[in-house]
Amino acid sequence: MLAPILCVVIALTACADAGAPEPSGAAAPGTPAAADAASSTVGSIPAGGSAPVSAKEVCAYLDGQLPTLKGIGSETGTMANLTVNLYSWYEKQGAVPTGRQIDDQTRQECPATRTKVLELAGMESFERL
């Protein structure tokens, strides 16, 4: 289910970054691979019912991502990077919360980081992921 979404998102990201030459025609390592088209994947929680990640852990992760997100230079690229990396990080933790849950946790624990991440990605809420 994730593969078709990532294909669409990669195509959208490539269009948004059309000014950047790609030497081999393939995405370079570290290139963002998804955007808001992956919205259905971030909101899924595994059937195993794993405990959600704490707000403190989410905020620490997002704080660590800020330098990378700032360096991307486009809202579309930032959103794509955030979508793929945040989803992957949550998946490794065992449970992928909804965007609303991420919003609630980050509003309480790290509102300044939340605001900066969302501004860089051109979003008002994590529900857009």
Side-chain angles (χ1 to χ4, degrees), residues 37-121:
S39 61
S40 64
T41 60
V42 173
S44 63
I45 296 179
S50 300
V53 177
S54 74
K56 186 176 183 176
E57 291 172 299
V58 174
C59 290
Y61 174 78
L62 292 174
D63 279 333
Q65 291 299 299
L66 276 173
T68 299
L69 298 175
K70 287 177 184 176
I72 292 173
S74 77
E75 288 180 351
T76 303
T78 300
M79 185 189 305
N81 181 285
L82 181 63
T83 300
V84 171
N85 291 337
L86 187 59
Y87 178 80
S88 297
W89 180 79
Y90 271 119
E91 196 172 51
K92 289 175 187 171
Q93 309 306 313
V96 180
T98 64
R100 181 173 293 215
Q101 290 168 321
I102 299 169
D103 280 330
D104 291 344
Q105 285 185 314
T106 55
R107 272 189 196 106
Q108 292 174 0
E109 183 72 26
C110 55
T113 297
R114 175 186 183 275
T115 298
K116 188 62 181 168
V117 167
L118 293 176
E119 284 176 0
L120 289 167

